[in-house]
Amino acid sequence: MTDLVQLSKDKNVAIITINNPPVNALSPAVAQGIAQAIEQAGKDDGTKAVVLIGGGRTFIAGADIKEFGKITSGKSQRGAGLLPLLLQIEDVRKPVVVAIHGSAFGGGLELAMAGHFRVAAPNAQLGQPEVKLGIIPGAGGTQRLPRLVGVAKAVEMCAEGNPITAQEALRLGLVDHLIEGDLLPGAIAFSREIVGKPALKTRERNDKLGTPSQNSPVFAAAREKAHTKQRGMMAPLAAIDAVEAATRLSFEEGCQVERQLFDKCLFSDQSKALIHAFFGEREVAKIPDVPKETPTLPVNSVAVVGAGTMGGGIAMVFANAGISVLLKEADQPALDRGLANIHKNYQSSVKRGRLTEQSVNERLKLIKPTLSFDDFGKVDMVVEAVFEGMALKKEIFGQLDRVCRPGAILASNTSTLDIDEIASATSRPGAVIGTHFFSPANIMRLLEIVRGQASGKEVIAACMQLSKKLGKVGVLVGNCRGFVGNRMFGPYRREAQFLVEEGATIESVDKALFDFGMAMGPMATGDLAGLDVGWRIRKEYRHLEKPGVRQPFAEDRLCELGRYGQKTGAGWYKYDENRRAIPDPEVNDLVREWAAEAGIAQRKLSSEEIVDRCIYALVNEGARILDEGFALRAVDIDIIYLNGYGFPAYRGGPMWYADTVGLDKVYRRISEFHQQHGELWEPAPLLKRLAQEGKTFAELNREQAVVA
Ligand code: 3HC
Ligand code: NAI
C-alpha cells in the first residue's frame, strides 16, 4: 500500500482512508493504493464490511487534473483509467460503505457510486463537474449516476456540472444516510447495521433508467439548454450523449461510448483551455514577492464612500459575505437613492428565488447608512467609489487619512485614475491600493487589485484573501491607465468601431464576435455600459492623442446626437421597453455618410477579419502590458478576460487563444494590419520576440514572473 492510502480496522470493519492533501485527488498512486486495500480487506475473513473515507478536509475532489495535460502532451499513456478499480470495489464480497464529507466530485463521486452504500456529512457536496473542464465523467459516471438518481437529474448534473447538497442527494437516492456529528464512527455504525442486508451493485440497478418515450423529451430539452446556456461548448453535448447511451445500451457498452466521448473531449482545444482556466484561477492568487506566509490585515468591517452604481453594489458584496458596511453618501437624497437601489436589487433576487426574504433582511441589517465620517475610525477597510475625478478622490483620501485608524486599508474603486497620485493625498501611501470591481459589482466575479508604488505587502495579501471571501477572483495588476482589463478593451472596441466605419454593419461586427464566443458583441457592450463613458474619457485625454493617428469617431457622433446606449433608449441599436436591442438601419446609414465625409473607403469585411482585428487588438495590447510588467503572467490577463469581459472560457482567454492559433501566425496577421492601418497596429515587441523564437505566452509564465 502507498502512504497515500491507509488500511486500518475497527473490530470487524475495515477502514480505508485516503490521504492525498489538499483534496485527495485520485492520482494513479491513490487508485493503486485503494485497489490494494480493497483486495486485502476482501481477503480478510475477520472483515464484515468496509468503510472508505477521505482524510483531511474533503472526500475526493476528482481525478488528478494535472494528469490530463501529461496524457494530451504524450508525456504519459492513457491507461484504463479508474474503471477497473470501480468494478473491483463493486464486486468485492463485503459491503463497501463510502463516507463523504467536503466534496465528492468527478472521479470522487464515480468511486463513491461503485460502493454499495453511501453516507454523508450534512454539508457534503456531490457532483460531476467535468464539463467545466471541457471533459465528461470518464469512469462510468454517466452510466452509474442515472441508475441512482434517474435520467433527468443525471443529465442535468453531467451536462451542467453543478454540485448538489447532501440533502438533495439523500432525497434522490444518491446517498443512503446522513450522519450528524463525527463521520467515521457514524459510518462504522451504519456499516454494522447493513451487514447481512442485500448489497446492490449500482451497475446492475436498472429500475431508474426510464423508457424511450420518457427519456427522449428529457434529452431534447437538455440539448436545447446546452446550445443556449453553454453556447459553443462540446462537452455538455457529449455528456448528454453518454447518459443517453446508458439508457440504450448495456452498462459495459455504455462505458465504451463514454470512454470514446471522454477521449474526444480530453484531446480537444476546449478542454485544454478550460483546464488552463481552472489552474489559472488558482495561479493568480500566487504573487512571487507576496508569499502565502505574508501577514495579512483582518477585514471584518468596512466602509464604502459613495452609494452610486458601484458603491451600492460593493456594499452588497460585503454584506453578502457577512461583513458589516458603513455606507456613506454626500447628501440625504443620494443616500436614499442608493439604498433604494440596493433594496430593489435584493428584491429582484428574492423574486427570482435566489435569496429568501430572511437572508435579505440579514444582509440589509449589515449595511449602515451614514452622511458622516464619524464611525470611520472603527473600520478595517474603506472602499471609495465616488465620481471619477482626481480632485474629489484626493479630497476624500485626505479625509480618510485623518479619520481612519492606523492599519486600515484605504482602497479606491477608480477605473482610470493614478493610484499613486490618490495615495499622495495621504500620509500613509502604503495603506492605499486599488480595488477595481466590475459592474454590476454584486454579480461580476472579477476584482482587479491595483498595486501602487507604495502599496504594502500585507495590504496586497489582505485584498487577495478578501477577494476569495467575497466570492471574487482577485487579480493583481499594475498602476497604468485602464489597468489591465480596460487598457486592452480600448483597442478592442476601437477596432470594432473602425470596422463599422470601414463598411461592416453594426450587427455583423457583433455577430462575428458573438459567434466567436464572446458573451456580447462589442457594440452591444458599449450600449450596455453607456457610450458617454468612453466619450467623456476621450474628451479628457484628447490632448494625449498623437496628431495624424486615426481615431474612431462614430461613437462620439452618436453621443452628440444623445444616443448614449441603453440608458437613453438608443445607441448603436434602438431599445424597446424591455431593453431588447433592435437593429437601427438609420445608424448604419449615418455611419456610411460620416465615413464618406471622412474619406474612408468602404468594403466588404469577412467575419474572420472582424474577429482577427478585434481579438488580436486585445492580444497585442496584452503583450505590451506583460512586457511592461503591469500583469504578472499571461494567465493573469486570461483570468481577467474570462471573469470580467465575457471572453469564452473554452478559448482560455486572449493570450491562451493566441498561443493556440500560434504566435507566429498571430504576429504575421498583426504585421499585415500594421502595413494596412498604420502605427496603432505596431506589433508588440514581446509578441515579435516570442513568435521569432517559436515560443508561447504560456511558456513565458514559467520563465518570467514580473512584479509590477
Ligand atoms: N486535481 C488536481 N488538483 C486539484 C484538484 C484535482 N481534481 N482539485 C483541486 N486541486 C488543487 C488546486 O489546484 C489547488 O492547488 P494549489 O493549492 O496548488 O493552487 C488545491 O488543490 C486546492 O484547491 P482549491 O484552491 O480549489 O480549494 P478550494 O477549497 O477552494 O476548492 C474544490 C476545493 C471545490 C474541490 C475545488 O478545488 C474543485 O472544484 N476542484 C476540481 C473538481 C473537479 O473538477 N473534479 C473533476 C476532476 S476531472 C475527473 O474527475 C474526471 C473523472 O471523471 C475521471
Ligand atoms: P455614480 O455616479 O453612480 O456614483 C458616485 C456616487 O458618489 C454618487 O452617488 C455621489 O453622490 C457620491 N459622492 C460624490 N461625492 C461624495 C462624497 N464626498 N461623499 C460620499 N459620496 C459622494 O458613479 P459610479 O459609476 O458608481 O462610479 C464610482 C466609481 O467607480 C468611479 O471611480 C468609477 O470610475 C468607478 N467604476 C465605475 C464602473 C461603472 O461601470 N460604473 C466600473 C468600475 C469602476
Side-chain angles (χ1 to χ4, degrees):
M1 207 147 325
T2 64
D3 26 331
L4 299 169
V5 179
Q6 283 89 41
L7 177 63
S8 58
K9 253 182 114 175
D10 182 308
K11 296 189 190 122
N12 58 355
V13 177
I15 302 157
I16 301 174
T17 310
I18 299 151
N19 269 311
N20 184 21
V23 294
N24 289 331
L26 272 175
S27 62
V30 171
Q32 194 194 345
I34 299 173
Q36 285 169 2
I38 287 282
E39 192 185 344
Q40 227 168 294
K43 279 192 212 147
D44 177 16
D45 289 343
T47 293
K48 296 289 171 233
V50 180
V51 168
L52 201 153
I53 192 166
R57 63 169 153 130
T58 186
F59 179 61
I60 297 172
D64 188 341
I65 302 169
K66 290 196 192 88
E67 292 295 319
F68 297 141
K70 293 184 200 158
I71 295 170
T72 51
S73 64
K75 285 191 193 122
S76 94
Q77 284 287 316
R78 161 110 163 89
L82 295 168
L83 278 172
L85 169 67
L86 305 198
L87 291 176
Q88 184 195 349
I89 294 174
E90 214 166 33
D91 287 341
V92 77
R93 291 166 63 183
K94 318 259 160 94
V96 176
V97 176
V98 179
I100 301 166
H101 71 299
S103 316
F105 284 173
L109 179 56
E110 291 173 303
L111 184 132
M113 290 191 293
H116 307 103
F117 299 92
R118 281 151 297 278
V119 296
N123 60 1
Q125 299 230 311
L126 298 89
Q128 298 284 177
E130 287 89 342
V131 281
K132 299 195 177 181
L133 301 171
I135 54 176
I136 66 167
T142 60
Q143 309 302 300
R144 284 196 180 87
L145 192 58
R147 289 177 156 84
L148 290 173
V149 302
V151 173
K153 192 68 195 179
V155 167
E156 183 192 307
M157 286 175 71
C158 294
E160 297 177 24
N162 298 321
I164 60 170
T165 61
Q167 290 71 20
E168 190 176 0
L170 179 69
R171 222 167 346 100
L172 292 164
L174 183 54
V175 157
D176 302 291
H177 183 61
L178 294 190
I179 292 181
E180 305 280 347
D182 286 350
L183 182 62
L184 181 59
I188 293 171
F190 178 87
S191 68
R192 293 212 167 96
E193 277 170 34
I194 50 91
V195 169
K197 293 195 182 149
L200 302 177
K201 294 181 186 179
T202 305
R203 70 174 192 270
E204 291 174 359
R205 294 170 65 172
N206 295 334
D207 53 304
K208 289 191 178 174
L209 288 178
T211 62
S213 64
Q214 285 166 333
N215 292 335
S216 81
V218 172
F219 293 122
R223 287 191 175 102
E224 202 177 310
K225 195 166 173 196
H227 278 301
T228 50
K229 300 261 178 200
Q230 294 151 295
R231 184 168 52 90
M233 284 182 61
M234 61 190 276
L237 296 168
I240 299 167
D241 290 349
V243 177
E244 190 169 30
T247 66
R248 296 200 166 154
L249 306 171
S250 68
F251 177 82
E252 290 68 25
E253 289 165 334
C255 285
Q256 277 168 23
V257 170
E258 181 192 82
R259 187 182 164 96
Q260 281 159 8
L261 291 164
F262 177 89
D263 282 354
K264 199 166 140 211
C265 290
L266 181 65
F267 284 89
S268 69
D269 282 344
Q270 292 199 354
S271 156
K272 290 174 196 153
L274 286 157
I275 289 174
H276 161 74
F278 175 84
F279 285 118
E281 211 171 273
R282 282 140 189 96
E283 181 84 7
V284 295
K286 294 168 189 151
I287 299 156
D289 73 329
V290 186
K292 261 206 324 256
E293 310 73 59
T294 309
T296 75
L297 305 166
V299 180
N300 298 316
S301 63
V302 301
V304 174
V305 189
T309 312
M310 295 306 289
I314 295 168
M316 289 172 73
V317 171
F318 283 110
N320 292 346
I323 298 173
S324 68
V325 200
L326 275 176
L327 182 58
K328 186 199 173 297
E329 253 298 342
D331 53 43
Q332 194 62 47
L335 189 56
D336 293 343
R337 262 196 316 275
L339 288 170
N341 274 333
I342 292 176
H343 279 262
K344 201 174 92 195
N345 280 334
Y346 273 137
Q347 275 320 315
S348 94
S349 300
V350 173
K351 261 194 219 133
R352 287 181 195 175
R354 293 203 184 127
L355 289 176
T356 62
E357 280 291 350
Q358 194 200 340
S359 73
V360 163
N361 289 337
E362 281 162 14
R363 287 159 206 232
L364 285 171
K365 262 194 233 142
L366 290 170
I367 302 176
K368 299 187 186 70
T370 180
L371 292 175
S372 81
F373 284 109
D374 285 353
D375 288 328
F376 273 52
K378 296 180 194 151
V379 300
D380 299 326
M381 176 178 186
V382 182
V383 180
E384 164 279 312
V386 301
F387 300 130
E388 187 79 336
M390 186 53 93
L392 177 61
K393 303 256 184 204
K394 282 171 102 170
E395 187 194 317
I396 301 271
F397 273 75
Q399 186 78 13
L400 294 177
D401 193 29
R402 285 188 286 281
V403 297
C404 291
R405 64 167 179 76
I409 298 169
L410 309 183
S412 173
N413 189 53
T414 180
S415 41
T416 53
L417 300 173
D418 180 348
I419 293 294
D420 293 332
E421 194 177 341
I422 295 176
S424 73
T426 72
S427 63
R428 40 173 141 171
V432 179
I433 195 160
T435 48
H436 184 209
F437 288 84
F438 284 68
S439 182
N442 53 318
I443 308 238
M444 298 297 286
R445 281 186 85 215
L446 178 62
L447 178 63
E448 277 186 334
I449 296 171
V450 189
R451 179 179 201 162
Q453 287 267 309
S455 303
K457 291 189 180 176
E458 68 290 0
V459 172
I460 296 170
C463 290
M464 294 302 295
Q465 222 173 57
L466 179 68
S467 60
K468 199 161 182 191
K469 191 165 171 190
L470 299 179
K472 305 283 175 205
V473 186
V475 184
L476 189 70
V477 298
N479 180 28
C480 56
R481 212 176 107 206
F483 312 130
V484 170
N486 284 346
R487 176 170 158 184
M488 288 166 64
F489 210 52
Y492 169 81
R493 293 208 64 255
R494 174 198 77 208
E495 286 305 311
Q497 285 189 68
F498 280 166
L499 288 159
V500 173
E501 291 169 10
E502 287 164 29
T505 62
I506 294 154
E507 302 80 62
S508 68
V509 171
D510 272 356
K511 183 174 183 314
L513 286 147
F514 182 79
D515 289 348
F516 173 79
M518 298 297 289
M520 253 182 153
M523 321 315 277
T525 307
D527 276 358
L528 177 68
L531 303 181
D532 55 318
V533 179
W535 183 40
R536 278 205 198 98
I537 296 173
R538 278 190 295 278
K539 278 198 281 194
E540 200 174 321
Y541 290 102
R542 195 125 286 163
H543 61 285
L544 297 178
E545 282 170 12
K546 220 166 148 188
V549 174
R550 181 180 172 192
Q551 296 296 334
F553 56 78
E555 207 155 278
D556 293 353
R557 303 283 286 268
L558 289 176
C559 286
E560 285 160 19
L561 297 174
R563 297 184 72 120
Y564 291 179
Q566 288 197 17
K567 63 174 113 170
T568 55
W572 288 107
Y573 295 90
K574 286 189 286 199
Y575 291 87
D576 65 13
E577 58 289 357
N578 298 319
R579 295 208 162 187
R580 219 167 23 137
I582 302 161
D584 189 348
E586 204 183 300
V587 181
N588 278 316
D589 292 346
L590 273 174
V591 180
R592 298 285 82 82
E593 269 173 42
W594 296 334
E597 283 164 22
I600 298 173
Q602 299 293 292
R603 63 198 176 92
K604 257 193 133 46
L605 288 125
S606 67
S607 50
E608 189 205 351
E609 179 169 354
I610 293 171
V611 169
D612 285 356
R613 290 266 295 270
C614 293
I615 300 296
Y616 291 169
L618 285 177
V619 174
N620 207 31
E621 196 63 27
R624 281 185 208 288
I625 287 173
L626 265 181
D627 220 6
E628 293 165 15
F630 291 108
L632 275 167
R633 298 148 291 223
V635 68
D636 291 49
I637 298 178
D638 288 334
I639 295 303
I640 288 174
Y641 263 76
L642 298 183
N643 291 285
Y645 294 85
F647 200 93
Y650 63 80
R651 295 197 192 267
M655 311 314 274
W656 181 264
Y657 170 70
D659 281 349
T660 316
V661 173
L663 293 191
D664 55 336
K665 200 168 156 206
V666 175
Y667 171 67
R668 264 185 276 130
R669 189 79 165 128
I670 288 181
S671 302
E672 272 169 41
F673 293 151
H674 186 206
Q675 286 207 326
Q676 290 159 10
H677 304 285
E679 71 177 89
L680 288 171
W681 273 105
E682 189 176 341
L686 175 66
L687 172 65
K688 182 174 175 182
R689 175 164 74 75
L690 292 175
Q692 286 171 345
E693 291 172 2
K695 291 197 172 143
T696 61
F697 288 121
E699 278 173 305
L700 190 70
N701 287 349
R702 270 166 263 139
E703 276 176 12
Q704 171 195 332
V706 196
V707 178

